[in-house]
Amino acid sequence: MSSESSEPLMGGLLETLLADESYRPSEPRSLAETGLSQAMLEQLILKYLLAVGARSGRDIADKICLPYGLIEDTFQSLRQRQLLIHSGAAQLNDYTYGLTDQGMMQARRALDLNSYVGPAPVPLVDYVLSVEAQTVRAEAVKRYNLEKAFEGISVERTMFEILGPAINSGAGLFMYGEPGNGKTTLAKRITRCFGQEIWIPY
């Protein structure tokens, strides 16, 4: 990992980890903060367009999960190098981009090296820290958390004495039984103790 990509990590993600609050990732403000190289970003764009055909810049940004403003210059660079063309105007001062013949050849070469097309990946260290920041092992669920999570349904009081230690172990839970005995309801209610969102790093 380069020193460029570790600086935002130390300033942004690690700061959030150490803060006494729930984890919420920050949006990257520059390509350096994403941990992606310019070449990798260009390959993602070219491979995506090869797979789907012409798309607007904002649609491409949405599909690779990066802010449009962050990759706008990349579209211009690809166009200047005659890998992309404007195939029409799009909303909000945007364009519809398509691949040139040269762009198709480069996209196929990139696809031969790496067939991944989708959300821009994050550096492994960012991924690990994001997952660790959301672990339930550091959270101790109290009885009142369980009672609140199970509001509106009938649960035997002894069930809380079984569930509490199992949840607080931070390990996986294995639920079994006949269909309709409440496994899914239990699982859904248990998650309420930890909030409603899980951030997927990409």
Side-chain angles (χ1 to χ4, degrees), residues 135-139 165-172:
T135 183
V136 295
R137 290 186 184 133
E139 296 185 43
I167 294 167
N168 284 333
S169 72

Side-chain angles (χ1 to χ4, degrees), residues 18 33 57 67 71 85 94 104 117 126 149 155 157 168 193 198:
L18 297 174
E33 284 187 20
I71 62 173
I85 56 165
D94 194 4
M104 282 185 191
V117 178
D126 287 17
V155 179
R157 311 306 289 171
N168 284 333
C193 298
I198 297 174

